[in-house]
Amino acid sequence: MATQTTASCTGSTLLQPLSEIINLPLDQVNFVACQLFALLMALWFRIYLHPSKTSPFIRHVVATLLGFYLALFCFGWYSLHFLVQSGLSYGVMIFAGLEHMHKYCFIVTLGYLIVCQITRVYVFDYGMYSADFTGPMMVITQKITSMAFEIHDGLAKKESQLTPHQKYLAISRMPSLLEYLSYNCNFMGILAGPTCSYRDYMDFIEGTCYQARHHENANGKENGKFKQSEPSPKNDVISKLCTCAISLAVYLSLYKLLPVNYSIDDYFVKSTPFYLQVIYLYLAMLALRPKYYFVWTLADAINNAAGFGFNGYNKDGSPRWDLISNLRILDIEFATSFKLFLDNWNIQTALWLKRVCYERCPVNPTAATFLLSAMWHGVYPGYYMTFVTGIGMTMAARAVRHNIRPYFLVSDSHKLVYDVITWACTQVAISYTVVPFVLLAVGSSLKFYSSWYFCLHLLCLLVVLALPVKSKRRQAKELQESQRKDSQSDPSSTDSNCNQKDKTS
């Protein structure tokens, strides 16, 4: 197996003997080895290149050079695409007018990513699950487009036009080329992310990320003020590495025993009762998720080991290191709604979609967000089938929650029954939705849905038609109009209406 995948690996062949011993593709071995090396470099970076010992310039240079080295080791000359994509986008930022710079940058960056994905999929290795060079480009695309919108917010908009969170993230000056490359290609996130805001990254480089995140329940309170002590990420890093080890062991043990492809096997479909097909699909998807748990949790641990990711303190005074965490495993596995599952899966990507699309799209933001997510993921037809199905699932889940859930809130026992039922429905709905994402091709995806008689598609359609729900924007608009009428009829109520509007926002 390893020998067959060597030809498709564009990176270093130094670890080829190890690849043959453990019978894993060389590109995946290179990826894991580079992440482990990055973990060691992160510890060194935090201790020996601490902001108190060196300048931001040195930290930027070292983080960038280490990032390029890891990219070259994993992807060889294909890593030049990272520089080309970043260079083109930076040129747009510099030379385009501020009024439309963010739009042009978005089109150029996403367009270059899609061209690379088309080339890789339809020219080189269609259908291969490998650590390809477009994976890091997806994260770089998120960073570049986020930065472009944040620069536009900071330099081309008035504060009154921004939400509180947009004000916090707004960039008030154009980043230098070194700062830009360091943000996009630093060794902590070059291979697997996660995405972070430019402001948070600069606070980390300059050493100010701890000062701004001290809360009232922090340790070290003296005379109403806090010691500017730096919390240690040791416990969180160890915990996340243990999670990585467990996730990897579970994935390697189960993914071959429960392949998703078996769910469309003719003999399996004809001879297996439908309820057992449902259970098998859930277990197959359950066995697939630990791969993502491993990759994202390891990436989070690397950033934490470097001192990046501090997010204040818990109520017991312990530090939180989840600023750029990408998932919450327990909340995923025990999610009782489609939205709750998505909110805890690939968190930073969900935030990116919200900031650059959902909050800014004037027409049907839900559909636009799903479409952008599909385009960003790649050009396999299965991606688009998954996200189109996801739109219907989201609308149906929202309708059920708004119309049916209130009847189960009368007592704890009723709510427990509701939670158990919605948990089972959510897990089945998620598994059903993401099958094309795994199978990739149109034929096999349609074969699966046909074997299920498109039952959940039809059920979602019936639910949406029978239980209509007003969008949040429409609800907010109607609330504002009613408050405006009330304030006109009763001027003394203006203050209370404004306060209610703030709470609604």
Side-chain angles (χ1 to χ4, degrees):
M1 180 177 179
T3 305
Q4 293 175 353
T5 58
T6 303
S8 66
C9 180
T10 58
S12 172
T13 58
L14 180 65
L15 301 178
Q16 176 63 35
L18 178 62
S19 172
E20 295 174 351
I21 292 173
I22 62 178
N23 195 31
L24 283 177
L26 179 58
D27 52 1
Q28 295 180 13
V29 173
N30 284 347
F31 173 83
V32 175
C34 284
Q35 287 294 76
L36 294 178
F37 176 75
L39 180 65
L40 296 177
M41 289 298 98
L43 295 171
W44 172 80
F45 192 83
R46 182 171 63 88
I47 296 172
Y48 294 100
L49 292 184
H50 192 272
S52 63
K53 300 179 181 178
T54 188
S55 66
F57 175 81
I58 298 298
R59 284 167 63 84
H60 278 306
V61 170
V62 173
T64 306
L65 292 179
L66 284 174
F68 286 148
Y69 172 75
L70 295 180
L72 284 170
F73 190 92
C74 275
F75 309 110
W77 69 269
Y78 279 97
S79 57
L80 291 177
H81 286 292
F82 308 161
L83 285 176
V84 174
Q85 184 187 33
S86 299
L88 288 174
S89 302
Y90 192 72
V92 172
M93 290 182 186
I94 295 297
F95 297 107
L98 287 175
E99 185 66 26
H100 301 290
M101 173 268 293
H102 59 303
K103 299 178 183 177
Y104 298 150
C105 191
F106 181 89
I107 294 172
V108 169
T109 306
L110 186 62
Y112 190 85
L113 171 65
I114 293 174
V115 169
C116 289
Q117 289 172 331
I118 292 174
T119 303
R120 187 190 71 82
V121 170
Y122 293 106
V123 176
F124 294 108
D125 57 353
Y126 185 95
M128 288 188 63
Y129 288 95
S130 59
D132 67 276
F133 69 96
T134 60
M137 289 183 66
M138 293 167 68
V139 179
I140 293 175
T141 297
Q142 290 181 339
K143 291 183 176 181
I144 292 173
T145 52
S146 295
M147 177 185 287
F149 278 94
E150 290 161 7
I151 292 174
H152 177 74
D153 289 343
L155 298 180
K157 283 189 173 182
K158 299 178 181 178
E159 286 195 1
S160 58
Q161 298 175 294
L162 304 177
T163 66
H165 197 66
Q166 288 172 346
K167 291 179 184 178
Y168 171 78
L169 296 177
I171 301 173
S172 58
R173 68 171 181 84
M174 188 67 67
S176 68
L177 181 59
L178 176 60
E179 293 169 338
Y180 176 79
L181 291 177
S182 175
Y183 171 60
N184 288 337
C185 303
N186 63 81
F187 73 98
M188 302 170 296
I190 184 66
L191 299 183
T195 299
C196 61
S197 72
Y198 177 77
R199 172 166 181 171
D200 288 335
Y201 180 74
M202 289 301 295
D203 287 344
F204 156 71
I205 289 292
E206 295 171 0
T208 59
C209 55
Y210 306 110
Q211 301 173 9
R213 297 186 181 277
H214 283 277
H215 299 310
E216 62 182 357
N217 52 358
N219 289 326
K221 186 174 182 180
E222 290 183 355
N223 299 325
K225 297 183 179 180
F226 302 110
K227 294 179 180 178
Q228 297 299 328
S229 58
E230 182 177 324
S232 173
K234 181 180 67 174
N235 293 337
D236 287 78
V237 171
I238 293 175
S239 174
K240 290 174 182 178
L241 291 179
C242 291
T243 301
C244 290
I246 295 172
S247 300
L248 184 61
V250 171
Y251 173 70
L252 294 177
S253 302
L254 297 180
Y255 85 102
K256 289 184 178 180
L257 297 176
L258 298 165
V260 178
N261 289 336
Y262 191 61
S263 62
I264 60 173
D265 180 78
D266 292 334
Y267 176 78
F268 173 79
V269 173
K270 292 179 181 179
S271 62
T272 307
F274 184 71
Y275 75 93
L276 291 180
Q277 293 185 41
V278 174
I279 295 174
Y280 179 85
L281 180 65
Y282 166 69
L283 294 177
M285 291 301 176
L286 185 65
L288 196 62
R289 288 198 285 267
K291 176 178 69 173
Y292 299 95
Y293 296 164
F294 169 76
V295 172
W296 288 336
T297 305
L298 179 57
D300 195 16
I302 292 170
N303 282 272
N304 292 167
F308 188 26
F310 176 65
N311 196 26
Y313 292 88
N314 296 307
K315 292 182 178 180
D316 61 0
S318 59
R320 292 171 52 197
W321 289 88
D322 61 352
L323 177 65
I324 54 175
S325 294
N326 230 348
L327 76 168
R328 303 181 188 96
I329 296 176
L330 293 180
D331 290 334
I332 290 171
E333 298 301 341
F334 295 100
T336 56
S337 70
F338 205 84
K339 180 182 183 300
L340 190 59
F341 188 101
L342 296 179
D343 286 345
N344 294 286
W345 174 270
N346 206 352
I347 296 171
Q348 301 307 319
T349 294
L351 288 175
W352 170 69
L353 291 168
K354 177 183 177 182
R355 293 168 184 170
V356 304
C357 184
Y358 188 85
E359 292 181 343
R360 303 175 190 267
C361 183
V363 179
N364 203 338
T366 299
T369 301
F370 274 101
L371 177 61
L372 173 59
S373 182
M375 295 173 63
W376 173 79
H377 274 91
V379 293
Y380 287 112
Y383 294 162
Y384 292 84
M385 295 180 69
T386 285
F387 288 108
V388 169
T389 303
I391 295 174
M393 292 289 181
T394 301
M395 295 174 65
R398 186 182 301 164
V400 169
R401 181 175 180 83
H402 280 259
N403 291 275
I404 296 179
R405 186 172 182 268
Y407 294 104
F408 287 86
L409 299 181
V410 294
S411 67
D412 292 340
S413 59
H414 284 68
K415 186 178 183 300
L416 178 61
V417 172
Y418 176 84
D419 288 342
V420 171
I421 295 174
T422 53
W423 171 83
C425 293
T426 297
Q427 297 302 321
V428 173
I430 288 290
S431 301
Y432 178 90
T433 301
V434 302
V435 165
F437 196 94
V438 178
L439 299 180
L440 300 177
V442 174
S444 55
S445 300
L446 289 178
K447 184 178 180 180
F448 168 78
Y449 282 146
S450 298
S451 69
W452 282 50
Y453 301 100
F454 293 89
C455 58
L456 294 192
H457 286 88
L458 297 176
L459 181 61
C460 287
L461 179 61
L462 292 175
V463 168
V464 171
L465 293 177
L467 303 174
V469 176
K470 296 179 182 178
S471 67
K472 292 183 179 180
R473 292 188 178 186
R474 185 176 176 183
Q475 292 179 29
K477 185 177 180 180
E478 291 180 355
L479 179 61
Q480 292 176 10
E481 290 178 354
S482 64
Q483 290 173 348
R484 190 181 301 112
K485 292 179 181 179
D486 292 341
S487 63
Q488 291 175 354
S489 60
D490 185 8
S492 63
S493 65
T494 301
D495 293 339
S496 61
N497 287 336
C498 291
N499 292 335
Q500 182 64 29
K501 181 179 178 182
D502 290 340
K503 292 180 181 179
T504 305
S505 302

